[in-house]
Amino acid sequence: LIEDIMCPPFLTELFDLVAPCELQRKSVGALPLEADTDHYSPWHRDTSPLFHFRNKDNLLAIDATNTKHIPDFYFTVFVTLDDVTRDTGATQMLLGSHKQSLEELLKDPSTTRPAFLEAPAGSIVVLNGKVLHRGTPNTTSQPRDMAYAVWCAPWFDEIAV
């Protein structure tokens, strides 16, 4: 059943069209969100930095600038088990942020556009792992659940990075 839900044939066909490399499903999990929450999760990318480098102040940089130059290799597939709306805690993302470093985004935030992942229960939504995003509060009296699967290049190992 999990295989049918998280690996429908159209997903591999979609990835064959949009991904420049072979992708494999690496992991699955759940994203439960309790009712009546009031906090946002931090902005983040699902990909870990591939290269560690020092910035001009000789501090280890958190956001790998060069990742934007690497073809898309990591996708998160969300399966909405409940309706996902702004009220129930839709993921907020910065469209276009996968093409920029964090430093570039901070210099000129107008280069991206905020959007919310809103979808009815039973939807499948694919998010490029390099897109900056965060969780938002569930202000309703009902919990909101989503499942997810990570699809990435065979050479990428989240645990090693």
Side-chain angles (χ1 to χ4, degrees), residues 40-53:
Y40 290 80
S41 68
W43 286 103
H44 66 281
R45 300 179 200 265
D46 286 343
T47 56
S48 305
L50 297 174
F51 308 103
H52 298 284
F53 63 96

Side-chain angles (χ1 to χ4, degrees), residues 21-79:
C21 61
E22 175 193 351
L23 299 177
Q24 297 176 346
R25 194 197 67 205
K26 293 277 185 135
S27 61
V28 296
L31 293 169
L33 185 57
E34 294 299 319
D36 300 314
T37 59
D38 63 357
H39 63 278
Y40 290 80
S41 68
W43 286 103
H44 66 281
R45 300 179 200 265
D46 286 343
T47 56
S48 305
L50 297 174
F51 308 103
H52 298 284
F53 63 96
R54 303 226 176 248
N55 64 15
K56 64 182 185 227
D57 299 319
N58 203 30
L59 299 173
L60 192 61
I62 316 168
D63 191 55
T65 302
N66 291 331
T67 302
K68 72 178 185 175
H69 299 294
I70 296 172
D72 298 330
F73 64 93
Y74 186 112
F75 295 87
T76 303
V77 177
F78 296 102
V79 177

Side-chain angles (χ1 to χ4, degrees), residues 40-45 89-94 115-116 127 131-137:
Y40 290 80
S41 68
W43 286 103
H44 66 281
R45 300 179 200 265
T91 298
Q92 185 180 20
M93 62 198 105
L94 294 178
F116 289 87
L127 179 67
V131 171
L132 275 169
H133 62 283
R134 67 178 178 175
T136 64

Side-chain angles (χ1 to χ4, degrees), residues 142-159:
Q142 297 296 314
R144 188 270 299 141
D145 293 321
M146 288 197 295
Y148 73 90
V150 170
W151 288 74
C152 58
W155 51 261
F156 185 72
D157 184 354
E158 288 182 286
I159 296 170

